[in-house]
Amino acid sequence: DTPYRPEGWTVRQVVHHLADSHMNAFVRFKLALTEQEPTIKPYNEKQWAETADAKTPPVDLSLNLIDSLHARWLLLLKATSPLEFARGMIHPERGRMTLGTTLRLYEWHGRHHTAQIMGLRERMGW
């Protein structure tokens, strides 16, 4: 329950945020594979991080969810052709995004938040 930076989310919130975010990404990815240029729905990440399921349960719930989700996503990615990676979706704030760009964004996203947690561990001597 320690924030990774002053006024930042707690480690618990970050882990649950990653699960929320990657679930949304997986659904968006599938929409782009099965629909023509779908417009995706953004969500308020800050408000999601304040809900009870992001502030109180053990992180194992989301870590297990992330493991399962990534295993499922990997199956889909391995079956996605280079041509399909060029398919796109419309993000109301960012415009058109291809599946390739989307995948790189979420790969970075996971590493970014992991680095925040690891940095906190180092600073706290955990």
Side-chain angles (χ1 to χ4, degrees):
D1 290 318
T2 303
Y4 69 90
R5 65 173 167 78
E7 307 301 319
W9 289 341
T10 66
V11 171
R12 183 183 313 271
Q13 286 172 295
V14 171
V15 172
H16 294 311
H17 160 72
L18 279 170
D20 290 342
S21 176
H22 286 215
M23 283 189 296
N24 273 286
F26 178 73
V27 169
R28 290 170 175 178
F29 202 96
K30 288 194 72 163
L31 287 169
L33 281 173
T34 60
E35 298 178 13
Q36 189 62 38
E37 301 273 325
T39 298
I40 59 171
K41 184 177 183 338
Y43 64 101
N44 187 320
E45 296 173 352
K46 289 180 179 148
Q47 287 182 344
W48 280 42
E50 294 299 322
T51 61
D53 68 307
K55 290 186 84 166
T56 58
V59 296
D60 287 354
L61 289 175
S62 282
L63 291 174
N64 291 334
L65 191 148
I66 290 167
D67 282 345
S68 295
L69 177 63
H70 285 181
R72 175 107 178 256
W73 203 352
L74 184 59
L75 291 171
L76 183 64
L77 292 171
K78 285 182 175 181
T80 301
S81 73
L83 192 58
E84 288 173 317
F85 275 106
R87 292 180 63 92
M89 64 188 85
I90 308 301
H91 190 291
E93 297 157 359
R94 294 186 175 147
R96 185 181 189 277
M97 299 174 62
T98 67
L99 291 182
T101 299
T102 300
L103 184 60
R104 285 188 294 278
L105 173 68
Y106 284 96
E107 185 271 338
W108 170 86
H109 183 249
R111 290 183 190 279
H112 170 73
H113 284 305
T114 300
Q116 291 171 332
I117 293 169
M118 298 306 289
L120 176 65
R121 281 184 64 190
E122 235 176 81
R123 289 191 306 278
M124 301 297 283
W126 295 340

